[in-house]
Amino acid sequence: MSTELKTTTEQSETVDLRTGEVLPAPPNITAVAEQLVAAARGQGIELTGPNGLLTGLTRQVLQSALEAELTEHLGYDPGDRVGKQTPNSRNGSTPKTVRTEIGDLTIQVPRDRAGTFAPVVVPKHQRRIAGFDEAVISLYAKGMTTGDIAKHLSDLYGSDVSHDLVSTVTDKVLGDMQEWQARPLDLVYPVVLIDALVIKVRDGQVANRPVYVAVGIDLEGHRDVLGLWMGPTGGEGAKQRMNMLTELRNRGVADVCIVCRDGLKSLPDAITAIWPLATVQQCVVHLVRNSLRYASKKYWSKITGQLREVYTAPTIAAAEARFAEFAEQWRSLYPAMTQMWESAWGEFVPFLKFPPEIRRLIYTTNGIESLNARFRQATRRRGHFPNEQATMKVLYLTVLERRPNRTNPTGQIASWKAIPNTLSITYGDRLGIN
């Protein structure tokens, strides 16, 4: 016995410890694959395509898996006389075409007489094997239209893929989107950034619709998209903004220390109504951009340079001095520009109270500009959307499609470790930092 076991061990065989039976070693998959490829080429068989080697192997694997599932369900092998003694038995098969990563395959799904067999490999009523839906959703999130996706997949799989099929697949995310939009949020956020972008949507006729985006920075220094909301046609929608903030509070956000906003009108009143203790910070970048709308292009470089001295000043007093010089030079030529800054001054200066690492965090909504850039990339090719639901579906999928950052794999904001303690000096125990 010992000699026999030694021999089988040298042949890389294994022993069943329960029965002592010597079992043959599993085949060398690489060697088998090389033999199959060599044989296929020798016989002029293509590796891919409807009659290719890979297609045939995939069909055989699926077929064998289905037969094995039925055997396990019935409790006996095909042809075993034991089956005649059981109340259920095999009952032929039904052809079924399924769509896989390599194209359409027709398989024979075995049946049982009792009709209780429910295959797992290829479930009933399912005609797409895992991977197809994921590919469709990924392409949709990257900005491809249903027509683009249908053509791409038709070329890839060698079979027709309809627009309706693509829409059906992407509609599967609607339930997940609703759950995501209603998910509970943290009790407090040190910083929340609120911005908006404009997207063309057909509502009877094509019109510009604002989409509001809220991004929260949590106590661990991670950015999280808190939600997306579409506003009404032809206006900013003060009621919609109040509803947006109320929804965030109802989802658990009891307090926010700093809210950095873009130029949305009436938003400060809505913020203080929902979070009375919040500091409202006007986005400095938006202020600078809006300033250039009032000025001739030949002065842009000079104006931006002088404004940079204002918002990079070391103290509020220094910023006031720099702005006084700026206003004295430009008030007579561009009174509306200087008046805009004077009106926004109360919401411009809060960030000047903090050290540089926090200033960079809150002085602008550019913290979500990379997200907005991805939104624009995903919506640009479409021109306009047929309805609000289609719009929000694409934006939601874009949010989910997180892109890895090799320089910052954890996603934590740089220099975050020093920020919470600095914020706690201003906001005390509101942050819950011990």
Side-chain angles (χ1 to χ4, degrees):
M1 175 64 71
S2 60
T3 303
E4 181 179 353
L5 285 177
K6 181 179 181 181
T7 302
T8 55
T9 302
E10 290 175 348
Q11 293 174 347
S12 301
E13 294 179 341
T14 56
V15 176
D16 188 326
L17 297 179
R18 295 172 298 177
T19 64
E21 180 184 359
V22 178
L23 304 174
N28 186 317
I29 300 300
T30 302
V32 172
E34 291 175 351
Q35 292 174 9
L36 288 172
V37 171
R41 288 175 175 170
Q43 299 176 35
I45 299 175
E46 296 180 354
L47 297 181
T48 58
N51 299 314
L53 172 64
L54 184 57
T55 304
L57 287 174
T58 304
R59 182 187 296 110
Q60 185 60 50
V61 168
L62 292 176
Q63 195 70 58
S64 298
L66 288 169
E67 296 293 347
E69 283 192 81
L70 182 58
T71 294
E72 182 179 0
H73 177 71
L74 296 176
Y76 69 91
D77 294 326
D80 193 332
R81 293 184 178 182
V82 175
K84 296 182 179 180
Q85 312 299 325
T86 61
N88 197 6
S89 61
R90 286 172 169 77
N91 187 32
S93 62
T94 302
K96 180 177 183 177
T97 300
V98 295
R99 179 163 285 120
T100 72
E101 299 285 352
I102 59 171
D104 288 353
L105 301 176
T106 299
I107 56 177
Q108 299 294 325
V109 180
R111 302 191 303 258
D112 64 329
R113 292 192 180 280
T116 56
F117 176 50
V120 175
V121 174
V122 185
K124 290 182 178 180
H125 312 299
Q126 179 175 315
R127 293 189 176 275
R128 296 186 300 277
I129 303 301
F132 180 85
D133 289 4
E134 289 79 359
V136 171
I137 291 173
S138 176
L139 293 172
Y140 197 76
K142 286 180 170 62
M144 294 183 68
T145 66
T146 55
D148 293 334
I149 297 172
K151 185 178 185 306
H152 173 74
L153 295 178
S154 293
D155 294 340
L156 182 64
Y157 293 124
S159 60
D160 290 335
V161 177
S162 68
H163 293 208
D164 291 340
L165 173 59
V166 174
S167 296
T168 300
V169 170
T170 56
D171 281 346
K172 291 170 61 177
V173 307
L174 293 177
D176 294 337
M177 181 176 70
Q178 293 172 356
E179 291 182 8
W180 175 81
Q181 186 72 15
R183 75 194 188 282
L185 300 173
D186 291 353
L187 183 66
V188 60
Y189 286 90
V191 180
V192 168
L193 311 174
I194 298 176
D195 203 351
L197 66 156
V198 176
I199 295 179
K200 294 185 181 297
V201 181
R202 179 177 292 280
D203 186 11
Q205 60 181 5
V206 177
N208 289 331
R209 298 280 298 275
V211 176
Y212 306 111
V213 186
V215 173
I217 300 176
D218 63 21
L219 292 170
E220 301 299 323
H222 296 99
R223 291 185 177 91
D224 182 26
V225 181
L226 306 182
L228 303 166
W229 299 265
M230 179 165 284
T233 303
E236 294 182 348
K239 182 178 179 180
Q240 174 65 33
R241 291 192 292 279
M242 177 61 77
N243 291 341
M244 171 184 70
L245 298 179
T246 301
E247 180 182 311
L248 291 177
R249 184 183 60 186
N250 292 341
R251 288 165 59 193
V253 185
D255 192 15
V256 176
C257 296
I258 304 170
V259 180
C260 181
R261 69 176 187 92
D262 62 3
L264 296 172
K265 296 178 181 178
S266 75
L267 187 56
D269 293 337
I271 293 171
T272 54
I274 300 299
W275 301 302
L277 299 179
T279 299
V280 179
Q281 172 67 50
Q282 169 75 59
C283 173
V284 176
V285 173
H286 279 79
L287 281 173
V288 174
R289 288 175 182 170
N290 290 339
S291 300
L292 300 182
R293 295 179 180 177
Y294 296 102
S296 170
K297 193 171 184 178
K298 65 181 180 180
Y299 296 127
W300 281 8
S301 178
K302 188 173 183 179
I303 288 173
T304 55
Q306 292 177 345
L307 288 176
R308 185 178 298 109
E309 293 180 358
V310 175
Y311 64 77
T312 59
T315 64
I316 294 178
E320 290 174 343
R322 299 289 184 276
F323 180 73
E325 296 172 357
F326 175 85
E328 183 179 359
Q329 177 175 354
W330 298 104
R331 189 185 304 279
S332 59
L333 186 59
Y334 300 121
M337 180 177 67
T338 55
Q339 185 179 358
M340 179 194 70
W341 276 88
E342 291 168 347
S343 299
W345 193 258
E347 293 179 11
F348 160 71
V349 296
F351 82 107
L352 294 174
K353 302 175 184 178
F354 296 101
E357 60 270 15
I358 297 182
R359 288 191 183 191
R360 288 192 294 269
L361 193 65
I362 66 175
Y363 89 104
T364 175
T365 59
N366 279 3
I368 53 178
E369 278 302 308
S370 61
L371 177 63
N372 283 342
R374 288 165 52 196
F375 283 154
R376 294 186 182 96
Q377 181 182 12
T379 59
R380 187 179 299 115
R381 293 189 62 180
R382 289 174 168 82
H384 70 272
F385 288 85
N387 51 54
E388 179 176 333
Q389 185 182 81
T391 308
M392 300 306 288
K393 182 169 62 174
V394 170
L395 298 181
Y396 165 68
L397 290 173
T398 303
V399 170
L400 292 190
E401 191 185 37
R402 299 185 182 277
R403 301 181 180 182
N405 188 331
R406 295 181 180 178
T407 60
N408 185 15
T410 65
Q412 188 181 58
I413 292 171
S415 305
W416 177 257
K417 292 183 179 180
I419 292 176
N421 290 328
T422 304
L423 288 174
S424 67
I425 295 174
T426 302
Y427 299 102
D429 58 1
R430 288 169 60 189
L431 291 173
I433 300 175
N434 297 324

